[in-house]
Amino acid sequence: TPGYESHFIDVGTLSFGAIIGLADTIRDRVVLARTTVQCLVLPRSFLLEKNQNPGNIWGRRVFYLNSIIPSRDELFTHFLQSRNWKKFKTDFIRKSVRPSPRSHAYIDDVPIICKIVESPKD
C-alpha cells in the first residue's frame, strides 16, 4: 500500500511451557517458531472452570501477562523513539566528527594488529 511500511518487531521469546493467547489479544501479531513446536490448545472457558482454576491461578496469570506484554500502541511509541534516537545519533556524529584539515593520519598509521582484528571475515 502506498505510504505504508511494514516493520517486524521482536517482542519476546517463548520457551518451553509458555502460555500464549490467554490474556493477550494476538490480533495484528505473528508468532514465529524457529524450531518444531507442540501446542496444547485449550478453550479459555475450560481453564476458568472452578476445578481447573484453584486459587484463581489463571486469573492471576492473565493479570501478569497483561502487565508484561506491551500493547500495540506501546510498541509503536517505542519504535518511533528508537528510530528518532538512531537518526539523532547518526546526525550528531556526522556533524561532530569531521576530519581535521591539519590531520596527516593515513591508514598505514594504524597498527597492524588493529587492522587484523577489524578486518571483515573472508
Side-chain angles (χ1 to χ4, degrees):
T1 310
Y4 289 95
E5 296 178 6
S6 294
H7 295 271
F8 295 93
I9 301 171
D10 185 359
V11 176
T13 302
L14 302 174
S15 58
F16 180 80
I19 301 170
I20 187 168
L22 180 64
D24 51 333
T25 56
I26 53 176
R27 184 178 57 241
D28 300 320
R29 304 230 178 162
V30 174
V31 178
L32 177 68
R34 294 182 183 161
T35 60
T36 303
V37 176
Q38 292 181 341
C39 296
L40 176 62
V41 181
L42 298 171
R44 189 179 310 200
S45 59
F46 172 76
L47 290 176
L48 297 177
E49 286 178 3
K50 189 173 183 178
N51 292 340
Q52 306 300 329
N53 196 14
N56 194 28
I57 187 70
W58 294 114
R60 288 188 274 143
R61 195 69 181 155
V62 166
F63 178 76
Y64 171 73
L65 291 171
N66 282 334
S67 67
I68 65 165
I69 298 173
S71 69
R72 188 174 185 180
D73 292 335
E74 290 171 330
L75 288 172
F76 184 66
T77 301
H78 182 348
F79 168 74
L80 290 178
Q81 289 173 343
S82 298
R83 188 171 69 174
N84 290 341
W85 168 250
K86 186 175 180 180
K87 183 180 179 333
F88 169 78
K89 183 176 76 168
T90 303
D91 292 346
F92 182 79
I93 291 171
R94 190 177 297 125
K95 291 175 186 174
S96 301
V97 182
R98 297 181 187 204
S100 171
R102 297 181 195 169
S103 174
H104 299 292
Y106 299 99
I107 189 69
D108 297 328
D109 296 334
V110 178
I112 190 75
I113 277 274
C114 291
K115 287 184 197 175
I116 293 171
V117 171
E118 294 179 358
S119 68
K121 293 186 178 187
D122 294 335

